Amino acid sequence: MTDYIEHKTPKGILIKLYPAKREFLAFDRNGSSLYADGHNLRLMHKAPSVFFLGERFHVKNTAGEDLSFVKISRGKLVIPYEFQDEKRYVFIARDEALDVLPVVVKCLRNFNLLANEVKIGRAPDYIIVDTAITRNDIIVIKNLCTAVQVIITGDKPIDADAPPQPGEGIDTTRATELIKDVNINMLSQNPVFLARVHLRRMDLAKVKQLLLDFDLAEIDAQYILNFVVTMIGKADRDPDLRRERATLELLSNSFRFYLNLLMKDDDAVRRMIQAEVNQNELVSYHTLIAKTKLLFPSSDDQLRLTEIENLIWEAMEKLKK
């Protein structure tokens, strides 16, 4: 059994797709290789990945579980999909010499599944969402996948790259008023809501305490980080936020460090430790590592986190000199 799939395009180009690697070779009618770069150095092409995020999408792949041979028409990928049982197409501009391109096409129901894909090194090139998406959801997506292009379906899409407008970023519902109508036991299980309440009251110490009081999932930590970053962005025009800017920035660093630990992005963790010049922040980082150790009990993770702890001790010793 071969480990590749052959496909001949209407223009006579032969594609040899290696599904396990999500890469392919391409040959013209004469059997000459089509290079993957402009310098004629790389023969193996990477199959771009397109993820549909949401429960109302459905796709049918033609080359395997999550791979399709997708037609290119007038410089655009034409990807068929279903939205609430209605057949539609999404058009994505691609500068390709091919008339058909192997593409990873997947439907993900929620953000946790997206975070899992990113964690194993399979961040998508494109994410398709519908107009039910909020700007805060878009911020979460772009923080998870920094290089992704977000494409929004619908008649009046949100501009995913536009700066937030006044009132956007943090839910405009007054959390301090909602808290009166919600049972405190329910709130105790909802760290994102509690973060909104504490941020509204500028009780920033309690926001940071959420990192220790809850086993925050990546998505919850990402949402809280987005709230804090949005407040920092408004500090220049809000005197109350301006006074707390330094504390907000420290808070954002703590949540970012915790997120990097959860995502096992050790390079980002090391960069944050090496760049830190505040001894108290290094102590805070150490506490977060101790908390994370409880979430990752495997021997490999324990060893990895202990190595990071040692880096913090070394950084603290340097600051003492």
Side-chain angles (χ1 to χ4, degrees), residues 256-257 259-261 263-275 285 308:
R256 191 169 284 109
F257 187 81
L259 264 173
N260 288 331
L261 288 174
M263 298 174 70
K264 301 184 181 182
D265 190 344
D266 292 349
D267 289 339
V269 168
R270 289 188 178 92
R271 285 195 297 270
M272 290 190 72
I273 293 171
Q274 292 167 358
Y285 289 170
I308 294 173

Side-chain angles (χ1 to χ4, degrees), residues 264-314:
K264 301 184 181 182
D265 190 344
D266 292 349
D267 289 339
V269 168
R270 289 188 178 92
R271 285 195 297 270
M272 290 190 72
I273 293 171
Q274 292 167 358
E276 187 55 62
V277 295
N278 185 321
Q279 182 117 353
N280 290 333
E281 281 304 289
L282 288 173
V283 172
S284 176
Y285 289 170
H286 185 270
T287 302
L288 290 175
I289 292 173
K291 169 63 185 291
T292 309
K293 276 187 166 183
L294 300 175
L295 304 178
F296 297 106
S298 75
S299 57
D300 287 344
D301 283 324
Q302 293 290 306
L303 179 61
R304 180 178 60 84
L305 291 169
T306 298
E307 289 176 354
I308 294 173
E309 278 182 321
N310 292 336
L311 288 177
I312 289 181
W313 289 121
E314 292 173 7

